[in-house]
Amino acid sequence: MELGRAGLAWAAALLLAALGAQAAAAGDFDPYRVLGVGRSSSQADIKKAYKRLAREWHPDKNKDPGAEDKFIQISKAYEILSNEEKRANFDRYGDAGESQGYSQHQHRQFHHFHEGFYFDESFFHFPFNSERRDTSDEKYLLHFSHYINEIVPDSFKKPYLIKITSDWCFSCIHIEPVWKEVAQELEALGVGIGVVHAGYERRLAHHLGAHSTPSLLGLINGKITFFHNAVIRENLRQFVENLLPGNLVEKITDKNYIRFLSNWKKENKPHVLLFDHMPVVPLLYKLTAFAYRDYLSFGYVYVGLRGTEELSSQYNINVYTPTMMIFKEHVDRPADVVQARDMKKQLIDDFLSQNKFLMVARLTNQKLFQELCPVKKSHRQRKHCAVLLTGEGDKFAEAYEAFLTFAAANTKDTLKFVHIYRDRQPEFADALLMDEEKYRGKSAVVILERHNNAGKITYKILEEAWQGSKEDNFILLDLLDQLRTDPGLLSLETVLADLNDELAPMFLIRWLYSTLDYISDCWDSLFHSNWREMMPLLSLLFSALFILFGTVIVQAFSDSSDPRDSPPSEKEETAAKTEKNDTSFSKESNRIPKKGFVEVTELTDINYNSNLVRLRPGHMNVVLILSNSTKTILLQKFALEVYTFTGSSSLHFSFLSLDKHREWLEYLLEFAQDAAPIPNQYDKHFLERDYTGYVLALNGHKKYFCLFKPHRSGDEGGTPGSCEDYDSSLHAEARGKSSCSPGSRSIKNKLHKLSFWMERLLEGSLQRFYIPSWPALD
């Protein structure tokens, strides 16, 4: 009996020792020790220590084998100590309330506390902990920052299949064999694989919308799609295939191959044909087409199908071996061919990456220009581009064909041949062609070298227009030979603006695609998402219904039979406001303008600083020039013309008395010499000039103004003696041809084009006249 008691005591001691070892292992992770800070350290000290250690142990900079694990520990320690709640939990209990480790040697454990004891699940030998399961998922683990900064941008080149898992998940264990097999198979084809542990990366799991485990989802073009079927190999393969767009690969037969290959000019891309004996397009080929869709167009030929005999015979295809051909500018012969019984992803990538561009590609956007003509990195890595500036149509076809022939015979790694349509990229062409008249209706060749991404280049243009003659070929060849030994041959410099994106879809098409994607997301959420995911959509729907029916009910119970005075029209109310009391305009008011009238303030020496000199950035004061005799009439017309623009809070409206401040106005007009002549004492017409009806838009912060010169006509019929509009030259006025009388019936007509001028003002297309400082109004 004593022996039995002694054995039991010994077993209990072993158990306590084992539990103590587990407790010590669980408490090994000390975030204070990892960051090298004390428990009383401030958040600033913790952040400073984290930045220093993160720079030191970042895997991209530190090649130590343990740098990645050390970096993860540093990040986890900072995550705990930077959060006051987690830091407090760690200070009290030695645990932040969640997993302390993240590397393959630190996994979450399930603890059950009872009277000071805890039990680890490994004590009972349950296979729920990640240490007991297969470790192949560890290389696919995703962190939040890694997902946002790398996975999402990469999803525009390949789709991703992501699994969300956790510990103590029976279903996660059940799908592991299928997941492992499918992940290995799809990864070899080019599909990205990711695993998110919901226990360690709760933020990422919530960001993905995964509220239960296990969850499987697909990511493509930054868009997430959840998998809702049984987890079997066929369903997962079909799910990934359904993520891809449906128009990636076109089925090619004898009837349509000429049309397909001839589209190279319209699409500005080489065209790829895959000949295979499979009745359906292989998934590997679809994934390849998705990855290279910006550079190549893809077609598939099923050689066992009736109707492809002519195509197979045309290009001498071996029906038993998969064959891939790339066609560029010539439809009758491929530019490159590859044949292999086992067409692997690496082989296809190497083949396509060497043939992404046409022999003489057309520059249709800035990205293509940067890829074909990269910036030089050193003197030994100079890259030159020979650019043909040409036009569209049969008139330029001969010159283009000669340039294409020359490019095919002089292909080099350091030299690229491209062409551009001058009418589609006028800014690019104008920057290179100094003498446009010389090359009008003709093609020109320019050799250039890019120096930076800001558009700076050095270049040389062939002196004569390019016609494709033998003499032109010899001149260009000699110039390229000289360039090898004398880079200074490119003596001209300029800065090029970014190219227009010629192939970009129209706004309406982009809006339609976005609408269809949104409807698709809502439809998928309606049938497959849980209630937590549906709450925002349901809340929006019920809010809209409440507002709609609430408005109907209020209108139904309102007494619509009450007689109300009909409000005056906008024009009548505006006119009444301006005619009511002229002196009211001279009083500065900060009230918000009421509907139906325009608040116009007189610009005086009292409010000059607040209404102009110290005007807030982005605000403008639109000032009407008038005299005492034209004040009422011009203010009425001014109010009507600018009324539709009073909705903008950045516009203020004022008027200036010409009788009081003519010198101030003349000083400003000296800076607009194209709009008004410089006054001088010998100009007998200067003192007779009538500035009534002028409008100035003054930007007080940036010190510039825009000028509206009124339309003037002698009578309503437009007599031969009528003045020109505000766009016309003032030299006629300077000669004294006409000077409209302020008291005539046509005073109102001076401002009849003001609304159009206001539209151009808001567009920012008016000429600006800058001044060194605002003159004093007194």
Side-chain angles (χ1 to χ4, degrees), residues 544-561:
L545 292 175
F546 177 79
I547 294 173
L548 176 63
F549 286 103
T551 305
V552 173
I553 293 173
V554 170
Q555 290 180 351
F557 282 92
S558 62
D559 187 8
S560 60
S561 62

Side-chain angles (χ1 to χ4, degrees), residues 14-254:
L14 286 178
L15 174 61
L16 290 175
L19 294 177
Q22 291 285 348
D28 280 344
F29 184 81
D30 184 356
Y32 291 102
R33 178 167 51 81
V34 172
L35 293 182
V37 296
R39 290 183 176 269
S40 60
S41 299
S42 64
Q43 287 293 333
D45 294 335
I46 292 172
K47 187 174 183 180
K48 184 178 180 181
Y50 165 72
K51 287 185 176 182
R52 175 177 56 81
L53 292 172
R55 284 195 298 266
E56 179 182 353
W57 290 97
H58 196 284
D60 292 342
K61 298 180 179 179
N62 195 322
K63 302 305 179 183
D64 190 287
E68 183 175 359
D69 288 343
K70 181 68 174 177
F71 182 76
I72 294 174
Q73 290 185 9
I74 293 169
S75 301
K76 193 62 180 178
Y78 179 69
E79 181 183 350
I80 294 172
L81 297 184
S82 61
N83 186 300
E84 294 297 341
E85 182 180 353
K86 293 181 181 180
R87 183 178 181 181
N89 288 337
F90 182 83
D91 291 342
R92 290 174 188 156
Y93 312 114
D95 186 4
E98 60 180 17
S99 169
Q100 298 298 328
Y102 199 90
S103 66
Q104 58 182 352
H105 304 295
Q106 296 171 322
H107 296 275
R108 189 178 182 184
Q109 296 178 337
F110 178 75
H111 300 271
H112 174 68
F113 290 88
H114 179 65
E115 297 179 353
F117 294 93
Y118 74 91
F119 295 91
D120 181 62
E121 49 89 5
S122 62
F123 178 78
F124 300 98
H125 303 288
F126 289 150
F128 299 127
N129 190 274
S130 55
E131 290 182 355
R132 301 295 182 221
R133 300 199 300 268
D134 187 73
T135 59
S136 61
D137 283 350
E138 291 179 358
K139 66 177 181 179
Y140 304 125
L141 287 175
L142 301 180
H143 314 285
F144 183 82
S145 59
H146 174 62
Y147 171 82
I148 295 296
N149 298 325
E150 298 183 25
I151 302 300
V152 172
D154 199 40
S155 68
F156 289 85
K157 299 179 182 178
K158 64 181 180 181
Y160 274 81
L161 184 64
I162 300 176
K163 177 182 73 171
I164 291 88
T165 184
S166 65
D167 291 337
W168 294 87
C169 172
F170 290 92
S171 299
C172 299
I173 300 172
H174 179 72
I175 68 171
E176 270 192 3
V178 179
W179 167 259
K180 180 179 179 181
E181 177 187 1
V182 174
Q184 292 177 350
E185 178 185 356
L186 294 179
E187 187 180 22
L189 298 178
V191 178
I193 305 297
V195 175
V196 178
H197 198 293
Y200 301 148
E201 283 290 340
R202 296 177 184 175
R203 181 184 178 189
L204 179 54
H206 282 274
H207 176 79
L208 296 174
H211 305 294
S212 61
T213 55
S215 294
L216 297 176
L217 58 90
L219 175 69
I220 189 169
N221 291 332
K223 178 184 175 183
I224 296 172
T225 304
F226 277 85
F227 175 79
H228 301 289
N229 296 325
V231 182
I232 59 177
R233 177 179 175 274
E234 290 75 15
N235 287 349
L236 287 173
R237 280 182 58 94
Q238 189 61 44
F239 172 69
V240 171
E241 192 164 353
N242 290 340
L243 292 176
L244 299 169
N247 58 347
L248 286 173
V249 181
E250 184 176 351
K251 295 289 187 66
I252 304 300
T253 62
D254 294 341

